[in-house]
């Protein structure tokens, strides 16, 4: 006999589904420029407080400063999260096709070897049959 369903005790916590999946934060250009200005205005020892308050890393400031210096404000807006891909989609497709080609070449070579072996076996059987019949 199955057990009756039990209700959750009052002290049981049900998680909020919105908090279960974490996503990367995306910063607007205005926010980045404001934080960079605040960081530049900080005196000795105040930068850490700013970073903690905004929940940022010093490496983010370094990256934002570099992007701003090299390419201006437009580059700040188009920051993509994560590492840059080492290969273009076309290069990845070419590599996949080359791997498939190599696999098919190996399969073809195996099939040709099997055919060659069958021909040799058939030739040996023909010689044995022709040799035993006078």
């Amino acid at each position: 006999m199955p057990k009756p369903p039990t209700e959750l005790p009052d002290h049981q916590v049900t998680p909020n589904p919105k908090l279960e999946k974490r996503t990367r934060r995306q910063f607007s250009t205005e926010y980045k420029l404001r934080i960079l200005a605040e960081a530049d205005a900080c005196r000795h020892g105040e930068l850490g407080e700013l970073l903690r308050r905004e929940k940022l890393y010093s490496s983010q400031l370094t990256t934002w400063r570099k992007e701003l210096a090299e390419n201006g404000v437009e580059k700040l807006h188009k920051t993509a999260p994560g590492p840059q891909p080492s290969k273009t989609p076309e290069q990845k497709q070419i590599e996949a096709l080359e791997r498939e080609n190599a696999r098919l070449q190996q399969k073809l070579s195996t099939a040709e070897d099997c055919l060659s072996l069958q021909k040799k076996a058939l030739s040996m059987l023909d010689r044995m049959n022709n040799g035993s019949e006078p």
Side-chain angles (χ1 to χ4, degrees), residues 58-84:
S58 60
S59 61
Q60 289 172 306
L61 290 181
T62 305
T63 304
W64 294 348
R65 282 186 179 126
K66 182 180 174 187
E67 290 171 351
L68 182 62
E70 289 178 357
N71 301 320
V73 178
E74 297 83 25
K75 181 65 177 178
L76 278 179
H77 181 67
K78 298 182 179 182
T79 303
Q84 296 298 321

Side-chain angles (χ1 to χ4, degrees), residues 4-134:
T6 58
E7 293 184 26
L8 293 175
D10 291 338
H11 65 276
Q12 188 79 20
V13 176
T14 55
N16 184 351
K18 290 170 82 176
L19 298 176
E20 290 299 308
K21 177 155 173 42
R22 295 184 183 217
T23 58
R24 288 182 180 259
R25 294 187 297 168
Q26 294 181 350
F27 304 105
S28 67
T29 304
E30 295 80 23
Y31 176 80
K32 291 177 183 180
L33 289 172
R34 182 176 62 81
I35 294 298
L36 287 175
E38 285 184 37
D40 291 338
C42 286
R43 290 187 300 227
H44 183 71
E46 294 177 345
L47 183 60
E49 181 182 335
L50 171 70
L51 294 174
R52 283 188 296 276
R53 183 184 75 219
E54 297 294 329
K55 296 184 175 118
L56 295 172
Y57 294 100
S58 60
S59 61
Q60 289 172 306
L61 290 181
T62 305
T63 304
W64 294 348
R65 282 186 179 126
K66 182 180 174 187
E67 290 171 351
L68 182 62
E70 289 178 357
N71 301 320
V73 178
E74 297 83 25
K75 181 65 177 178
L76 278 179
H77 181 67
K78 298 182 179 182
T79 303
Q84 296 298 321
S86 60
K87 298 177 183 164
T88 64
E90 292 84 15
Q91 289 173 328
K92 290 179 182 178
Q93 185 179 16
I94 289 171
E95 285 184 358
L97 291 172
E98 287 174 347
R99 283 192 302 270
E100 183 181 7
N101 190 11
R103 182 184 59 80
L104 292 173
Q105 288 289 340
Q106 180 67 32
K107 195 173 182 180
L108 176 64
S109 174
T110 303
E112 287 174 347
D113 290 345
C114 287
L115 283 174
S116 174
L117 187 61
Q118 287 176 347
K119 287 179 185 177
K120 288 179 184 178
L122 185 61
S123 172
M124 289 173 56
L125 286 173
D126 283 345
R127 276 191 265 143
M128 286 175 52
N129 286 340
N130 289 339
S132 62
E133 294 179 12

